[in-house]
Amino acid sequence: MQDNTVEWDVAGMKADKKRPSAGHTFLKVFLVFITAIAISIALSWPVIQNFSKIQEYALRFKPEAEFQATAARIGPQNLKPYLESLDKDLAGIQKKMSVYLPKGNYLIINTSANSFRLMNEDSLLREGMCSTGSYTVLQAGEKQQWIFKTPRGMFKILNKVTDPVWKKPDWAFVEEGLPVPSANHPSRYEYGVLGDYSMILGDGYMIHGTLYKRFLGMPVTHGCVRMGDDDLEAVFKSMPIGSKVYIY
């Protein structure tokens, strides 16, 4: 009996190898599934890593693909007239746009990038960094505050000054924790802080130089536009009174 029992157990084990249990089958399928996923990721990983490059490549050649599709649609015999028509349309659009370009030199200031472009019609004369408003808020009690932002819109150079003197407004004293003096008190006048030139835009706003050149390209001013020495001189000499300044 004992030998038969042992023999039956061994037979049962052999039978289990031939017919796996449900749990064993699930585990085997699960391992195969995980392995398949791992292999898929391994094979596609170079594509995933270079997705941005592939996307850039596709975007770069999309116009060419569209042109090829258009050329195939209209036929090779009509391609030359089609291109001539496009050139004519483009010339017409450029002519219409030129009407809106200012005459003479003008300045474009980008307050987001803190950069400027000196233009003459559609030609770029000079570009560089500048500094514009910090958008910080200065509070003076409960009823008075200043927001240091550069105004946006179209402006004109109302006046030009060499060796400008800064007449400090009230906020300059409040910011320093000092009592605000009378309107024409000598302490309001400060020399050598605006650079060699300034261009007046109105309402207290100017384009001028700075002692803090390391901050050019950053939003750190109280609303005026600051430039480096060389850029300021070039713009000053290129922009007569009445020239337009576009700030956005």
Side-chain angles (χ1 to χ4, degrees):
M1 290 291 295
Q2 190 173 1
D3 291 342
N4 288 338
T5 302
V6 174
E7 189 174 338
W8 180 85
D9 287 338
V10 173
M13 291 174 64
K14 289 182 179 179
D16 287 342
K17 289 182 180 179
K18 292 180 181 178
R19 292 182 295 127
S21 65
H24 184 77
T25 301
F26 173 79
L27 180 60
K28 192 172 183 179
V29 171
F30 179 74
L31 290 174
V32 171
F33 177 70
I34 293 298
T35 303
I37 292 177
I39 293 172
S40 298
I41 293 175
L43 292 175
S44 61
W45 183 244
V47 177
I48 295 172
Q49 283 184 311
N50 293 288
F51 177 75
S52 60
K53 294 182 180 179
I54 294 170
Q55 188 179 39
E56 181 183 353
Y57 180 86
L59 290 173
R60 185 187 305 168
F61 288 96
K62 185 178 178 182
E64 183 178 344
E66 290 179 350
F67 175 77
Q68 296 292 346
T70 302
R73 187 177 69 253
I74 65 176
Q77 69 279 5
N78 298 318
L79 185 57
K80 185 177 180 180
Y82 173 72
L83 293 176
E84 291 175 348
S85 174
L86 288 180
D87 289 339
K88 185 177 179 180
D89 291 343
L90 180 59
I93 293 171
Q94 290 175 335
K95 185 176 181 179
K96 290 179 181 179
M97 288 179 62
S98 64
V99 175
Y100 299 98
L101 291 175
K103 302 301 180 184
N105 294 344
Y106 59 97
L107 190 66
I108 300 175
I109 295 171
N110 182 339
T111 59
S112 296
N114 284 285
S115 62
F116 76 89
R117 305 181 82 195
L118 176 62
M119 306 289 296
N120 183 287
E121 296 189 357
D122 58 349
S123 298
L124 176 64
L125 303 180
R126 191 182 185 95
E127 63 181 347
M129 295 187 303
C130 62
S131 287
T132 58
S134 64
Y135 272 84
T136 56
V137 178
L138 176 64
Q139 198 81 31
E142 297 180 357
K143 298 183 179 179
Q144 193 173 25
Q145 70 174 19
W146 293 270
I147 301 176
F148 298 131
K149 61 180 181 179
T150 301
R152 300 179 182 183
M154 192 275 286
F155 302 86
K156 289 183 179 180
I157 294 179
L158 304 179
N159 197 13
K160 298 170 64 176
V161 181
T162 303
D163 297 323
V165 177
W166 183 36
K167 184 178 181 181
K168 298 170 66 174
D170 290 353
W171 56 255
F173 296 93
V174 174
E175 189 175 46
E176 295 176 8
L178 300 174
V180 178
S182 59
N184 293 310
H185 192 274
S187 63
R188 284 192 180 267
Y189 298 93
E190 195 163 336
Y191 298 83
V193 296
L194 301 180
D196 295 331
Y197 309 97
S198 70
M199 290 162 276
I200 313 301
L201 301 178
D203 294 328
Y205 295 102
M206 297 178 283
I207 301 171
H208 61 75
T210 178
L211 298 175
Y212 307 103
K213 297 176 179 58
R214 64 184 181 278
F215 293 135
L216 287 171
M218 302 171 63
V220 294
T221 81
H222 296 93
C224 290
V225 178
R226 299 177 187 172
M227 289 185 176
D229 295 341
D230 293 340
D231 289 331
L232 180 65
E233 182 177 7
V235 172
F236 185 88
K237 292 182 178 180
S238 301
M239 302 272 288
I241 292 175
S243 297
K244 293 183 178 180
V245 178
Y246 299 90
I247 303 177
Y248 70 97

